Amino acid sequence: MNASDPAAEALEIVELQTEDEFAAAYPVMHELRDHLNPDAYQRLLVRMREAGYKMFAAKRDGLMVALAGVGFGTNFYYGRYLWVYDLITTESERSHGYGKALLDHLEALAREQRCHTIALSSAMRRGDAHRFYEEKASYERTGYTFVKDLRSEAGD
């Protein structure tokens, strides 16, 4: 965080636990996942939490300014890992170090949980996010993620 930024001094990072906290997070998450309406967000969130999904908020003076959604796993190429599914700082609060603070918090959590790796995927069109990950957070771009959307084939 920018030490000269007064907003940085009032930052608190918390794991969201209650239905009210998750509902309050929707407007921030919607900035990243704008295809989700509140009902779809809640429905998917229930299923994701059952599978181990956790959400963390960076709060400044009690206001959510950034979110991270994560899960833990194990595979052959990462070993034990923490996967960052969602990372968003609300547009009006960007460039204050909140995303970096969340990633630092997640790194400490991953180390505590004996993870070997933190990984994430970022859409090709998000050039600003890529620069952030590489330049500010010291992440390495190692490959591409390929996706085939099966919903269109199933008529969904």
mmCIF file of all heavy atoms in Angstrom, residues 5 7 60 63-66 89-99:
data_model
loop_
_atom_site.group_PDB
_atom_site.id
_atom_site.type_symbol
_atom_site.label_atom_id
_atom_site.label_comp_id
_atom_site.label_asym_id
_atom_site.label_seq_id
_atom_site.Cartn_x
_atom_site.Cartn_y
_atom_site.Cartn_z
ATOM 1 N N ASP A 5 -0.757 7.292 1.597
ATOM 2 C CA ASP A 5 -2.203 7.312 1.353
ATOM 3 C C ASP A 5 -2.925 7.131 2.684
ATOM 4 O O ASP A 5 -2.830 6.071 3.299
ATOM 5 C CB ASP A 5 -2.582 6.196 0.379
ATOM 6 C CG ASP A 5 -4.039 6.257 -0.056
ATOM 7 O OD1 ASP A 5 -4.826 6.959 0.601
ATOM 8 O OD2 ASP A 5 -4.366 5.597 -1.039
ATOM 9 N N ALA A 7 -5.907 6.534 3.281
ATOM 10 C CA ALA A 7 -6.872 5.437 3.207
ATOM 11 C C ALA A 7 -6.224 4.118 3.587
ATOM 12 O O ALA A 7 -6.875 3.226 4.120
ATOM 13 C CB ALA A 7 -7.469 5.354 1.809
ATOM 14 N N ARG A 60 -12.317 -0.209 4.257
ATOM 15 C CA ARG A 60 -11.770 1.064 4.713
ATOM 16 C C ARG A 60 -12.892 1.800 5.420
ATOM 17 O O ARG A 60 -13.944 2.050 4.826
ATOM 18 C CB ARG A 60 -11.254 1.896 3.538
ATOM 19 C CG ARG A 60 -10.450 3.129 4.021
ATOM 20 C CD ARG A 60 -10.327 4.182 2.964
ATOM 21 N NE ARG A 60 -11.668 4.720 2.735
ATOM 22 C CZ ARG A 60 -12.200 4.916 1.546
ATOM 23 N NH1 ARG A 60 -11.547 4.652 0.457
ATOM 24 N NH2 ARG A 60 -13.423 5.391 1.426
ATOM 25 N N LEU A 63 -16.292 0.294 4.984
ATOM 26 C CA LEU A 63 -16.820 0.183 3.625
ATOM 27 C C LEU A 63 -15.987 -0.821 2.830
ATOM 28 O O LEU A 63 -14.761 -0.728 2.809
ATOM 29 C CB LEU A 63 -16.765 1.557 2.942
ATOM 30 C CG LEU A 63 -17.220 1.634 1.495
ATOM 31 C CD1 LEU A 63 -18.730 1.415 1.397
ATOM 32 C CD2 LEU A 63 -16.840 2.976 0.902
ATOM 33 N N MET A 64 -16.654 -1.786 2.164
ATOM 34 C CA MET A 64 -15.939 -2.749 1.331
ATOM 35 C C MET A 64 -15.404 -2.045 0.100
ATOM 36 O O MET A 64 -16.165 -1.481 -0.682
ATOM 37 C CB MET A 64 -16.860 -3.886 0.896
ATOM 38 C CG MET A 64 -17.169 -4.865 1.966
ATOM 39 S SD MET A 64 -18.082 -6.275 1.302
ATOM 40 C CE MET A 64 -18.919 -6.796 2.794
ATOM 41 N N VAL A 65 -14.083 -2.077 -0.061
ATOM 42 C CA VAL A 65 -13.455 -1.437 -1.215
ATOM 43 C C VAL A 65 -12.840 -2.451 -2.173
ATOM 44 O O VAL A 65 -12.532 -2.113 -3.317
ATOM 45 C CB VAL A 65 -12.399 -0.397 -0.777
ATOM 46 C CG1 VAL A 65 -13.069 0.771 -0.060
ATOM 47 C CG2 VAL A 65 -11.319 -1.027 0.084
ATOM 48 N N ALA A 66 -12.647 -3.693 -1.701
ATOM 49 C CA ALA A 66 -12.057 -4.730 -2.551
ATOM 50 C C ALA A 66 -12.455 -6.091 -2.005
ATOM 51 O O ALA A 66 -12.722 -6.250 -0.809
ATOM 52 C CB ALA A 66 -10.537 -4.601 -2.588
ATOM 53 N N THR A 89 -11.107 -4.597 -7.001
ATOM 54 C CA THR A 89 -11.193 -3.367 -6.217
ATOM 55 C C THR A 89 -12.237 -2.510 -6.914
ATOM 56 O O THR A 89 -12.206 -2.362 -8.140
ATOM 57 C CB THR A 89 -9.842 -2.625 -6.177
ATOM 58 O OG1 THR A 89 -8.875 -3.462 -5.545
ATOM 59 C CG2 THR A 89 -9.959 -1.307 -5.412
ATOM 60 N N THR A 90 -13.152 -1.970 -6.134
ATOM 61 C CA THR A 90 -14.193 -1.154 -6.741
ATOM 62 C C THR A 90 -13.545 0.001 -7.515
ATOM 63 O O THR A 90 -12.527 0.544 -7.101
ATOM 64 C CB THR A 90 -15.208 -0.673 -5.680
ATOM 65 O OG1 THR A 90 -16.321 -0.106 -6.328
ATOM 66 C CG2 THR A 90 -14.616 0.312 -4.720
ATOM 67 N N GLU A 91 -14.112 0.305 -8.657
ATOM 68 C CA GLU A 91 -13.483 1.243 -9.596
ATOM 69 C C GLU A 91 -13.106 2.574 -8.946
ATOM 70 O O GLU A 91 -12.037 3.127 -9.208
ATOM 71 C CB GLU A 91 -14.386 1.475 -10.798
ATOM 72 C CG GLU A 91 -13.715 2.275 -11.883
ATOM 73 C CD GLU A 91 -14.527 2.347 -13.157
ATOM 74 O OE1 GLU A 91 -15.640 1.804 -13.216
ATOM 75 O OE2 GLU A 91 -14.022 2.973 -14.098
ATOM 76 N N SER A 92 -13.941 3.076 -8.089
ATOM 77 C CA SER A 92 -13.681 4.385 -7.467
ATOM 78 C C SER A 92 -12.548 4.350 -6.452
ATOM 79 O O SER A 92 -12.071 5.397 -6.019
ATOM 80 C CB SER A 92 -14.948 4.910 -6.793
ATOM 81 O OG SER A 92 -15.328 4.053 -5.731
ATOM 82 N N GLU A 93 -12.074 3.137 -6.091
ATOM 83 C CA GLU A 93 -11.058 3.011 -5.043
ATOM 84 C C GLU A 93 -9.755 2.376 -5.537
ATOM 85 O O GLU A 93 -8.907 1.995 -4.732
ATOM 86 C CB GLU A 93 -11.613 2.184 -3.876
ATOM 87 C CG GLU A 93 -12.794 2.818 -3.181
ATOM 88 C CD GLU A 93 -12.443 4.103 -2.448
ATOM 89 O OE1 GLU A 93 -11.268 4.295 -2.069
ATOM 90 O OE2 GLU A 93 -13.347 4.937 -2.261
ATOM 91 N N ARG A 94 -9.583 2.283 -6.846
ATOM 92 C CA ARG A 94 -8.376 1.647 -7.382
ATOM 93 C C ARG A 94 -7.144 2.530 -7.172
ATOM 94 O O ARG A 94 -7.244 3.726 -6.966
ATOM 95 C CB ARG A 94 -8.578 1.320 -8.862
ATOM 96 C CG ARG A 94 -9.605 0.224 -8.999
ATOM 97 C CD ARG A 94 -9.756 -0.299 -10.397
ATOM 98 N NE ARG A 94 -10.849 -1.284 -10.363
ATOM 99 C CZ ARG A 94 -11.686 -1.479 -11.333
ATOM 100 N NH1 ARG A 94 -11.560 -0.810 -12.463
ATOM 101 N NH2 ARG A 94 -12.648 -2.361 -11.216
ATOM 102 N N SER A 95 -5.997 1.866 -7.206
ATOM 103 C CA SER A 95 -4.680 2.516 -7.093
ATOM 104 C C SER A 95 -4.384 3.056 -5.701
ATOM 105 O O SER A 95 -3.591 3.983 -5.543
ATOM 106 C CB SER A 95 -4.528 3.632 -8.144
ATOM 107 O OG SER A 95 -4.628 3.087 -9.440
ATOM 108 N N HIS A 96 -5.004 2.454 -4.691
ATOM 109 C CA HIS A 96 -4.691 2.789 -3.300
ATOM 110 C C HIS A 96 -3.986 1.637 -2.595
ATOM 111 O O HIS A 96 -3.726 1.732 -1.394
ATOM 112 C CB HIS A 96 -5.959 3.150 -2.513
ATOM 113 C CG HIS A 96 -6.616 4.414 -2.969
ATOM 114 N ND1 HIS A 96 -6.066 5.657 -2.796
ATOM 115 C CD2 HIS A 96 -7.795 4.606 -3.615
ATOM 116 C CE1 HIS A 96 -6.877 6.569 -3.310
ATOM 117 N NE2 HIS A 96 -7.923 5.963 -3.808
ATOM 118 N N GLY A 97 -3.713 0.541 -3.301
ATOM 119 C CA GLY A 97 -3.011 -0.578 -2.698
ATOM 120 C C GLY A 97 -3.903 -1.638 -2.089
ATOM 121 O O GLY A 97 -3.425 -2.569 -1.451
ATOM 122 N N TYR A 98 -5.207 -1.551 -2.289
ATOM 123 C CA TYR A 98 -6.123 -2.495 -1.658
ATOM 124 C C TYR A 98 -6.002 -3.901 -2.253
ATOM 125 O O TYR A 98 -6.033 -4.896 -1.525
ATOM 126 C CB TYR A 98 -7.566 -2.010 -1.764
ATOM 127 C CG TYR A 98 -7.799 -0.638 -1.167
ATOM 128 C CD1 TYR A 98 -8.661 0.252 -1.776
ATOM 129 C CD2 TYR A 98 -7.148 -0.233 0.002
ATOM 130 C CE1 TYR A 98 -8.889 1.511 -1.232
ATOM 131 C CE2 TYR A 98 -7.367 1.022 0.540
ATOM 132 C CZ TYR A 98 -8.238 1.889 -0.080
ATOM 133 O OH TYR A 98 -8.453 3.128 0.454
ATOM 134 N N GLY A 99 -5.873 -3.996 -3.579
ATOM 135 C CA GLY A 99 -5.689 -5.302 -4.208
ATOM 136 C C GLY A 99 -4.405 -5.963 -3.744
ATOM 137 O O GLY A 99 -4.380 -7.152 -3.439
#
